[in-house]
Amino acid sequence: MTVRRTLFGRPLRGVAFDVAVAALVVLVSVASAVNQPGGWAATLVGVGMAVALLFRRTHPSAVTVVVAALALVQVVAEWGPLVYDVAVLIALYSVVKYGERLRDGVLAGAVAAVGVLLAAAQTPGVIQWWVTALWYALVTGAVWLVALNVRTRRLYVLSLEERATTLEREREAEFRAAVAEERTRIARELHDVVAHSMAVMIVQADGARFMFDRDPAQARTAVKVVADTGRQALEEMRRLVGVLRDAGPGIADGSDGLVVAADPEHRRLALAELPDLLARFDDAGLRIRSTVTGAPPALPPGLELTVYRVVQEALTNALKHAGVGASVEVVLTYSDEAVLVRVLDNGLGRPLVSPAPSGGHGLLGMRERVTVYDGSLTAGPRPVGGWQVEVRLPLPSEPATEVIAA
């Protein structure tokens, strides 16, 4: 990170440069006090110009007026052009470069043109006055044109910076909107999961009430289902509240989550539907090979939904970026601690002719879903070519442990 030092609200480097310029004008004014026309009175005029130049960046128009007024005093006193008149050129350069309106620079150039004629008329010499005026005009015009060129470049750079800032704001706004949309979608799906669990609890509780006298063993089983389902629903509710909170932003990669066929909005998806999802993407042109390692445990509905959506978004990105005909490997690894999802493609497909409608936000959506279950997401290019997505989702603890932790 670059640290910019300031003095009186101005960059320290600029202040030091302006002080050096003013000191130079003072130096030549004092050094010429004995030999120059006007003596020490002319030196005071030069010192006044030098002091005014200290503010040439912040108040260029006012500085130019002050310097021009002091130069007029010099003309009225008939001292002729002096060495410290370089301050006039510096003021002219400053008003053209730093002035809020170019009109001030044009007006300063017109005043400088009149000053050129007056200075040429008071310049002692053996050559004709118009030759001297032409020389002064060339120098003054060159300074004005250089300042105009620097002003143009400065304004161009400022416009680029402003445009970049605007684009960054727009990108941040779009990113926040995408996060909000994805979190709303996740919250809606988790709400459906919790509602389903509550329905199961009600049905089992009603059944247990009627079976207490007829079949106590079956009633106890029903009550256990109610308890387990209630704990699971409570955990899903905690996650739902976490999604709705204003958490920090995840990552944005710009992918928009192309899907082949959108699922009905209120249908609860499960791992049993993964083969149908893979078949749809296979029909869309991907060459998919699926591998399952380990015995699939009984997962909470919300976690099943997350695994399903991760695979869906990863295949979507593979179809969009790797293209039709790409080889994709989907690996599901189940262990006692976590579910590991890996989706790898070789990146050797053909571009899509007409992309299907978007149904998510790519890596952004995956990141949000994985974060809900305290998982980890790794995505990036493969050394051998193509792209890989790896998600690790820790399995929830036993119900009894959850109750103690709560």
Side-chain angles (χ1 to χ4, degrees):
M1 182 178 67
T2 303
V3 179
R4 297 187 63 183
R5 298 182 179 180
T6 60
L7 181 64
F8 304 116
R10 295 170 55 189
L12 183 59
R13 181 181 300 180
V15 173
F17 182 80
D18 291 343
V19 170
V21 169
L24 179 62
V25 175
V26 171
L27 179 63
V28 298
S29 301
V30 174
S32 305
V34 178
N35 300 324
Q36 69 186 0
W40 286 102
T43 298
L44 291 178
V45 172
V47 172
M49 290 184 178
V51 173
L53 290 179
L54 292 174
F55 307 95
R56 68 186 189 91
R57 297 177 190 265
T58 56
H59 303 86
S61 299
V63 168
T64 303
V65 171
V66 172
V67 172
L70 294 174
L72 180 61
V73 171
Q74 178 182 334
V75 171
V76 172
E78 296 183 353
W79 295 334
L82 300 175
V83 180
Y84 62 71
D85 285 335
V86 67
V88 177
L89 298 178
I90 297 174
L92 177 64
Y93 176 89
S94 301
V95 72
V96 175
K97 179 180 178 181
Y98 298 111
E100 293 184 2
R101 297 168 298 184
L102 184 59
R103 183 180 63 185
D104 295 343
V106 173
L107 183 60
V111 174
V114 176
V116 164
L117 297 177
L118 296 176
Q122 293 185 353
T123 300
V126 296
I127 59 176
Q128 296 182 356
W129 72 271
W130 63 268
V131 177
T132 304
L134 180 61
W135 166 250
Y136 288 161
L138 289 176
V139 174
T140 304
V143 170
W144 196 94
L145 290 175
V146 169
L148 179 62
N149 181 58
V150 175
R151 174 191 177 90
T152 303
R153 294 180 57 186
R154 174 173 169 267
L155 293 179
Y156 177 70
V157 172
L158 289 177
S159 67
L160 291 181
E161 292 177 352
E162 183 178 357
R163 186 181 305 174
T165 302
T166 302
L167 291 176
E168 185 65 24
R169 290 199 198 99
E170 292 177 354
R171 182 175 180 272
E172 183 178 355
E174 292 176 357
F175 167 68
R176 291 184 181 277
V179 170
E181 180 183 347
E182 193 66 25
R183 287 177 180 172
T184 301
R185 183 181 178 187
I186 296 172
R188 184 171 59 247
E189 291 175 346
L190 287 180
H191 174 271
D192 293 342
V193 170
V194 173
H196 173 77
S197 299
M198 298 297 292
V200 171
M201 292 172 60
I202 293 173
V203 171
Q204 293 294 331
D206 287 340
R209 185 179 61 178
F210 289 107
M211 295 300 296
F212 268 131
D213 297 330
R214 300 179 183 179
D215 192 346
Q218 187 173 352
R220 284 194 294 269
T221 302
V223 171
K224 182 179 183 301
V225 172
V226 171
D228 294 341
T229 305
R231 294 189 187 97
Q232 192 177 88
L234 179 61
E235 182 64 25
E236 297 294 346
M237 183 63 72
R238 291 197 190 106
R239 300 186 189 278
L240 174 60
V241 173
V243 169
L244 295 178
R245 286 175 181 167
D246 187 16
I251 60 172
D253 68 316
S255 59
D256 57 0
L258 175 69
V259 295
V260 176
D263 294 292
E265 185 174 346
H266 296 291
R267 183 162 60 88
R268 188 168 67 88
L269 302 170
L271 290 180
E273 301 187 42
L274 268 181
D276 295 336
L277 176 68
L278 300 182
R280 291 202 301 271
F281 277 95
D282 191 77
D283 294 338
L286 293 178
R287 293 183 295 174
I288 299 178
R289 186 176 57 145
S290 176
T291 304
V292 178
T293 303
L299 300 178
L303 191 59
E304 285 194 35
L305 177 63
T306 298
V307 174
Y308 182 94
R309 291 299 190 192
V310 164
V311 175
Q312 182 185 42
E313 293 292 352
L315 291 177
T316 286
N317 289 340
L319 180 61
K320 178 179 179 182
H321 299 291
V324 177
S327 296
V328 182
E329 183 178 2
V330 179
V331 180
L332 293 179
T333 303
Y334 298 99
S335 65
D336 296 335
E337 296 81 17
V339 178
L340 183 65
V341 182
R342 298 182 66 202
V343 180
L344 308 93
D345 66 76
N346 61 1
L348 300 180
R350 303 184 306 277
L352 290 176
V353 177
S354 57
S358 171
H361 296 283
L363 292 182
L364 172 62
M366 281 189 279
R367 173 70 70 183
E368 291 294 324
R369 292 179 181 278
V370 170
T371 302
V372 170
Y373 287 91
D374 299 324
S376 61
L377 167 66
T378 304
R382 302 172 60 193
V384 296
W387 191 267
Q388 65 178 359
V389 174
E390 182 173 320
V391 170
R392 184 182 185 277
L393 295 168
L395 295 180
S397 55
E398 293 297 327
T401 305
E402 289 185 0
V403 173
I404 295 174

